[in-house]
Amino acid sequence: MNGPKLLNKGSEHEVSTILDQAATTRPVKGNSISINRYLWDDDGSEAGVAKIYIDTLPGKGSGTFISWKDQKITKNDIVSKLVGVGKIGLIVQIRSLDTRYHLYIPRMYGEVEEVKTVVKSSKLIVKLTKKKQKENTKAWPQLPSKVVKSATDGVDYVNEDLFLQ
């Protein structure tokens, strides 16, 4: 089995969003911060489940990170769903005590049937159940697709309409 590997590492990127469907237990005002650091794990098993591990969240300063376990985030603070035409994208929204975060993949490497989240004390696990198709169940080398089908697929911002679906 291939172990988790760091897929993306980047700087803090703030995006203005409306989290209408996010948890209401912690009212937060302001911008959502993009999650650019996560681990990707897909061993290509017959179960067809790939996983994203998030164990740190972006800090306030450039290049700083906050440990997941220090945030005391519950399942009610997380919304995850497939988005876009054909449900080819993924959005994971997280509310901590004073900040909102999001992981947005406008186009994934392959097709997904279902997305589930598991909240642990030290990390968030996002499980993607891949559609059972000939080539789709093989191990994906990365989460995002490198093929951009339209001009809007590669845009690095969060469309507020995604939160209203």
Side-chain angles (χ1 to χ4, degrees):
M1 176 177 143
N2 294 335
K5 59 185 174 184
L6 181 63
L7 180 64
N8 195 352
K9 181 178 177 181
S11 64
E12 180 178 297
H13 178 71
E14 294 188 357
V15 180
S16 177
T17 61
I18 298 173
L19 296 176
D20 289 337
Q21 294 186 1
T24 58
T25 57
R26 297 178 179 172
V28 178
K29 294 181 181 178
N31 294 332
S32 176
I33 299 172
S34 178
I35 297 171
N36 295 318
R37 185 176 175 163
Y38 55 88
L39 298 172
W40 171 247
D41 184 22
D42 184 3
D43 61 5
S45 68
E46 287 186 30
V49 177
K51 298 174 188 166
I52 302 167
Y53 296 92
I54 299 172
D55 60 0
T56 60
L57 295 170
K60 298 289 183 187
S62 180
T64 61
F65 297 94
I66 303 166
S67 174
W68 179 269
K69 61 184 169 188
D70 295 338
Q71 295 300 303
K72 297 181 178 43
I73 296 171
T74 67
K75 188 148 180 95
N76 292 333
D77 298 320
I78 298 171
V79 174
S80 61
K81 59 183 159 182
L82 301 172
V83 294
V85 176
K87 304 294 185 192
I88 59 169
L90 170 71
I91 184 111
V92 178
Q93 305 162 343
I94 303 168
R95 282 193 178 199
S96 70
L97 291 173
D98 61 352
T99 309
R100 295 183 294 194
Y101 303 93
H102 69 272
L103 172 64
Y104 176 57
I105 308 297
R107 183 177 192 81
M108 291 183 284
Y109 188 84
E111 294 184 71
V112 173
E113 288 180 353
E114 180 181 39
V115 59
K116 290 183 180 180
T117 55
V118 178
V119 179
K120 303 242 178 190
S121 62
S122 62
K123 64 186 159 207
L124 171 66
I125 304 170
V126 181
K127 294 183 177 184
L128 303 171
T129 304
K130 298 185 278 185
K131 284 191 177 177
K132 306 281 191 260
Q133 296 172 344
K134 185 178 180 182
E135 295 295 317
N136 199 44
T137 54
K138 292 182 180 178
W140 295 357
Q142 72 267 346
L143 174 60
S145 172
K146 293 197 178 199
V147 176
V148 177
K149 297 278 183 178
S150 72
T152 58
D153 280 348
V155 176
D156 188 19
Y157 70 90
V158 176
N159 180 348
E160 293 177 1
D161 294 337
L162 296 175
F163 298 102
L164 304 174
Q165 294 178 353

